[in-house]
Amino acid sequence: MLSFKDTIILSISYIYANSKPAMSENLIQKILEFQAVSEALEPSENERGHYVDEVHEYANAFLKDLKTSKAYTSDKETPNVFKISQNQKSLKEILELYAKEVAAKGIKPASGGHIGYIPGGGIFTAAIADFLADVTNEYSGMYYASPGAVTIENEVIDWMKGIFGFPATAIGNLTSGGSIANLIALTAARDKHQIKNEKIINSVIYMSPQVHHCIHKALRIIGLEDVVVNYLELDENSRINSEDLKNKIEADIQRNLEPFMVIASAGTTDTGAIDPLETIGEIAKKNKLWYHVDAAYGGFFILTESKASKFRGVEMADSLVIDPHKGLFLPYGLGAVLVKDKAAVYHSHHYIANYMQDAVNTNNPINPADVSPELTKHFRGLRLWLPLQLHGLAPFVACLEEKLLLTHYFRLRLIEIGFKVGPEPDLSVSYFWYPTKDDNENAFNEQLMQYIHDDGEVYLSSTRINGKFVIRIAILSFRTKIETIDRAMIMIDKALIKTKQHNPIINSK
Ligand SMILES: *Cc1c(COP(=O)(O)O)cnc(C)c1O
């Protein structure tokens, strides 16, 4: 067999023999010169082996350390040690830098001790899928380019349709996260109801004041900044009061406004509340409103025996958002949207450009590019499909049930040492605060939060509920275990003692 070099020499002599030598010699010489340099982008099998081994070794050390290291370091400063310079670094140097300046600072989302913002953890086998998707670099935007990859993407979406009781005719998309998924859903609602031009300022959207802020961002992005947003009253569990929804719709119609959409949450970010999905669905249907459900955080709890009934009515939604990088514990970078009305989605996203004419075949399955602002995208479906095939669904469901019980356990442990806790949570988000005698309760709890952050053993965040400063728990990392909660309790107890010492006047009620 000819070696690579021989082939090149042969081709060169062939070209020499068939063209004007003066020009070709120069041209070919240059190409080969560049080739000699650009070949560095294709490491040899041996080099690849070394790279993979080094990263594997780093990953092992990182995961081992995760069990005992703090979930948060309040060191917020990072000097720019990442300046891209002409001095190349070895992978070993890069990994050392990464460990010191990236992985060791801020919140550790891979840690089970991350129970502040809604975490997922990031299961390892999804990273294996990403590795495969990246090495093969499948083009998952169009069926024509990679029927296999797009079939996997569509299979993952069909699987979710099944879980949430959506019809086979619904379409969906795997997005980078919940924010883009919400954007796609709200765009479809806008286009279905043709909310444009002078219609915008008379059109009404109903939502809880506790909807995730990405809903507001999406409305601005899609030109609905000036739409009427009518916030609904909440009950004592922070769920939408559906009677209030009915009344507000009637009143708005009386005022010649045009209600067109209602947004419910299945697991709010602040308190994990699930709105009364079925009742809201019935009201939406009766009034011909687009019904959107944001279940980015809570959605996959529908798989649990203990919470499934709370999701009754979710199947009535016109559009639904779920985040596998939360409820299915994937590494960041996977949200999903399901929409029943294909035409509404296609209005904004389906486009045929001349240079894509080879890819058009109306008999083909749905192209992800027709359901999203993205054309070229990462082959995200694999990072969910592969772990599901590898582990089966049972460990995922058990993990969700475990998180619910851990939330209950955490609350009981907090009550034991004098904390007050928020109402019985719908899911795995809750909050607590330490009651004090005087009106310095907020200041006391803020200081407590500060000490907890300074410690960082376990990461908790805070929020305000009706003006009250509270510490929030969001248990969703697959790595959060009962041992993690016990460690959190030791940390909280220490911080509480310290806060009391610094506030001699403030005694517990
Ligand atoms: C997390 C979350 C979002 C935003 O999703 P990202 O994946 O962070 O973009 C939207 N809605 C709810 C209810 C969420 O919990």
Side-chain angles (χ1 to χ4, degrees):
M1 223 178 86
L2 287 175
S3 75
F4 181 62
K5 205 168 150 203
D6 291 341
T7 317
I8 301 237
I9 292 170
L10 255 182
S11 335
I12 294 172
S13 18
Y14 175 82
I15 299 167
Y16 274 20
N18 289 283
S19 56
K20 289 181 190 163
M23 176 195 149
S24 303
E25 194 176 356
N26 196 1
L27 173 65
I28 291 160
Q29 188 58 35
K30 277 207 159 119
I31 292 175
L32 293 180
E33 273 169 31
F34 282 124
Q35 176 176 307
V37 181
S38 70
E39 265 171 357
L41 297 179
E42 187 77 277
S44 68
E45 186 173 341
N46 199 14
E47 285 169 312
R48 291 199 305 269
H50 284 305
Y51 287 155
V52 173
D53 285 349
E54 280 179 56
V55 170
H56 187 204
E57 198 181 309
Y58 170 76
N60 280 342
F62 173 82
L63 291 176
K64 190 170 171 212
D65 180 60
L66 213 50
K67 294 204 172 92
T68 49
S69 66
K70 288 178 184 286
Y72 177 62
T73 327
S74 52
D75 184 359
K76 291 185 185 75
E77 306 270 305
T78 288
N80 191 353
V81 286
F82 305 108
K83 277 249 178 293
I84 296 173
S85 76
Q86 290 303 318
N87 305 328
Q88 286 166 247
K89 290 182 165 62
S90 69
L91 183 58
K92 198 173 170 56
E93 288 171 311
I94 292 170
L95 290 174
E96 274 166 15
L97 191 61
Y98 189 87
K100 185 160 168 273
E101 299 295 343
V102 181
K105 290 190 175 173
I107 305 171
K108 270 206 186 106
S111 163
H114 178 14
I115 44 186
Y117 303 105
I118 293 167
I123 53 174
F124 186 79
T125 50
I128 300 291
D130 280 348
F131 182 77
L132 252 186
D134 289 357
V135 171
T136 59
N137 198 23
E138 287 301 326
Y139 190 96
S140 56
M142 306 286 285
Y143 184 80
Y144 168 80
S146 179
V150 170
T151 303
I152 286 183
E153 297 257 320
N154 286 338
E155 171 57 27
V156 168
I157 289 161
D158 285 348
W159 176 73
M160 292 186 208
K161 289 196 287 198
I163 291 174
F164 292 96
F166 270 50
T169 50
I171 60 173
N173 190 252
L174 300 179
T175 63
S176 55
S179 300
I180 301 299
N182 272 298
L183 181 79
I184 292 172
L186 299 191
T187 306
R190 178 198 68 184
D191 293 346
K192 171 77 180 178
H193 286 258
Q194 298 179 16
I195 311 297
K196 53 183 175 180
N197 305 330
E198 61 285 344
K199 221 177 147 181
I200 295 173
I201 55 169
N202 281 323
S203 300
V204 193
I205 306 178
Y206 302 88
M207 63 177 87
S208 155
Q210 300 215 345
V211 290
H212 193 275
H213 74 275
C214 74
I215 298 277
H216 299 287
K217 276 170 69 169
L219 290 176
R220 286 186 200 169
I221 294 168
I222 65 174
L224 295 188
E225 187 174 357
D226 295 330
V227 86
V228 182
V229 173
N230 207 337
Y231 290 109
L232 301 165
E233 280 171 18
L234 305 181
D235 67 14
E236 64 284 0
N237 289 304
S238 302
R239 302 179 193 128
I240 286 176
N241 172 345
S242 47
E243 276 308 305
D244 187 50
L245 172 63
K246 262 192 227 164
N247 297 340
K248 287 201 160 113
I249 293 173
E250 263 173 43
D252 285 341
I253 293 171
Q254 290 291 316
R255 289 159 62 204
N256 285 325
L257 293 175
E258 288 178 46
F260 89 97
M261 169 156 63
V262 57
I263 300 175
S265 308
T268 56
T269 312
D270 255 353
T271 66
I274 303 181
D275 292 322
L277 300 178
E278 195 170 25
T279 320
I280 297 175
E282 280 157 7
I283 299 170
K285 203 168 169 193
K286 189 159 163 260
N287 291 279
K288 299 193 172 58
L289 306 186
W290 183 283
Y291 183 26
H292 176 62
V293 176
D294 181 0
Y297 150 58
F300 286 106
F301 281 103
I302 197 175
L303 295 170
T304 64
E305 219 178 285
S306 54
K307 296 291 175 182
S309 64
K310 289 200 178 271
F311 290 85
R312 201 177 299 126
V314 72
E315 71 287 349
M316 299 168 82
D318 293 293
S319 53
L320 174 72
V321 166
I322 35 211
D323 255 359
H325 67 197
K326 289 177 179 163
L328 288 179
F329 324 112
L330 296 195
Y332 293 136
L334 195 68
V337 60
L338 304 178
V339 186
K340 283 184 185 155
D341 193 318
K342 177 176 161 188
V345 177
Y346 269 33
H347 179 82
S348 280
H349 297 304
H350 179 65
Y351 197 87
I352 299 167
N354 289 338
Y355 48 79
M356 281 163 56
Q357 59 188 7
D358 295 337
V360 177
N361 178 345
T362 44
N363 294 324
N364 279 351
I366 302 283
N367 291 313
D370 291 335
V371 194
S372 158
E374 295 179 306
L375 173 56
T376 304
K377 67 193 272 290
H378 179 248
F379 175 22
R380 300 181 184 114
L382 194 63
R383 64 199 333 251
L384 179 49
W385 184 85
L386 185 146
L388 281 174
Q389 285 295 289
L390 206 55
H391 306 298
L393 190 57
F396 291 90
V397 179
C399 201
L400 289 164
E401 296 276 18
E402 179 191 22
K403 302 306 111 159
L404 293 166
L405 296 182
L406 287 177
T407 310
H408 188 57
Y409 174 74
F410 200 178
R411 284 164 52 93
L412 292 177
R413 294 282 314 266
L414 286 162
I415 293 167
E416 260 175 22
I417 61 166
F419 281 96
K420 295 274 184 204
V421 296
E424 192 63 36
D426 282 335
L427 298 170
S428 65
V429 169
S430 185
Y431 57 90
F432 63 93
W433 71 98
Y434 200 76
T436 60
K437 262 185 197 144
D438 39 42
D439 53 10
N440 260 359
E441 202 162 272
N442 279 357
F444 184 92
N445 283 283
E446 269 175 60
Q447 177 144 63
L448 177 64
M449 181 85 265
Q450 189 56 52
Y451 288 139
I452 288 173
H453 282 169
D454 291 346
D455 183 312
E457 181 70 21
V458 166
Y459 182 75
L460 299 164
S461 66
S462 68
T463 188
R464 274 175 198 273
I465 305 283
N466 301 324
K468 182 195 274 304
F469 183 98
V470 296
I471 301 174
R472 188 168 158 272
I473 347 174
I475 299 183
L476 197 57
S477 168
F478 78 102
R479 288 199 179 98
T480 304
K481 300 285 159 194
I482 192 160
E483 165 275 324
T484 323
I485 307 300
D486 294 341
R487 272 198 294 139
M489 285 310 300
I490 294 171
M491 173 193 73
I492 292 169
D493 206 20
K494 268 198 287 185
L496 180 61
I497 291 168
K498 216 165 150 186
T499 315
K500 282 181 179 169
Q501 280 166 354
H502 286 245
N503 294 273
I505 333 127
I506 302 169
N507 297 308
S508 171
K509 255 179 208 165

